[in-house]
Amino acid sequence: MGDIREGCKAYEKAIELSSNMREAWLNLGQALKEEGRVKDAERALTKAMTTAEGQPCLAAYRLLATMRQGQGRQADAIKVLDRALGHNRPEQKVELLYLRAICYHALGYTRKAVLDYGDCMNCTPRNDEGPVGEESRMFQFLSFYQREMALFVHWNLDKKATDFCLDTELNPIFKECWCKKGPPPPEMFTSYKMQPQLPDERSRSSSSGGGGSSSSPTGGIGLAPEQVAGLTTAADTIGALLQNHHQGFLPNIRQQRAAGYAAIELGQAVRALLAERRAGRGGLWVNSEGSSGQGGCSGR
């Protein structure tokens, strides 16, 4: 019904009657997460973990990690998932591995992400009927596409923006199947070439980096580290002001930073446009390099 506050009150009443009711703590944590009350949600989910009567409550670990990932706290989510997977339980292993993989992926730990995606795909498929089994199998399918994307980006990190565009480079069937979260069909492999695997750690350390390294500490954008730090501080400040304070919207520090950078870029574009008009010129061309249209990606 969407009345989260009333739902929380019902779970709190159940906990008053039985303080060790794991399901009540778990559902309360889920409801508080949806309401955006992250600190209260963390307390409830932690309580669900400790009232498991000797058995790990993997659902609580997963919910807590999902919430931290939704806040842009991937490193903290990984710590929770390490503990959950450390119990070495078969239930929810696929879900936990996939969640840890996407956290590593987001942080740029390609090697660890690829390993977790591979382990997720190699898990014994669940044969459960219904949404639980379907979700588990979907994560295994997604692991294939996500692993390929992690490798694709890794091998293209040193390309310029004009030479790198996911939309034009990716195989159309791959993109469609990835979007639909289904199994890769046989016909896809007639036109899609699998990404090369990462080099061995030992060979990588003795080489120039194995692809994906950058000689510039700021990725070749021509800015000194202190300039990048100043822009990032400003972006974080602006992005926090754009946060939607409403249930269902977790404060995500990564999204806030991205929004802040976008606002700064928009301001720079407006300032450049005004300078052009004051100089008596008509307007300003927008750079489309790297876009998926005909004018992007090296003019293709």
Side-chain angles (χ1 to χ4, degrees), residues 26-83:
L26 183 65
N27 291 331
L28 176 62
Q30 170 73 51
L32 291 168
K33 167 185 171 292
E34 295 302 321
E35 200 174 19
R37 294 166 57 187
V38 292
K39 291 184 179 179
D40 291 334
E42 285 205 14
R43 282 194 289 268
L45 293 173
T46 301
K47 186 66 176 177
M49 296 176 194
T50 58
T51 57
E53 299 178 354
Q55 295 296 324
C57 183
L58 297 182
Y61 283 102
R62 182 184 171 191
L63 268 176
L64 180 56
T66 300
M67 184 174 70
R68 290 182 175 175
Q69 186 252 350
Q71 293 177 272
R73 297 167 56 195
Q74 275 81 0
D76 292 331
I78 289 170
K79 293 176 183 177
V80 176
L81 293 163
D82 285 344
R83 290 166 53 200

Side-chain angles (χ1 to χ4, degrees), residues 256-270:
Q256 288 176 3
R257 178 170 294 179
Y261 275 133
I264 291 172
E265 185 176 13
L266 178 60
Q268 291 170 336
V270 171

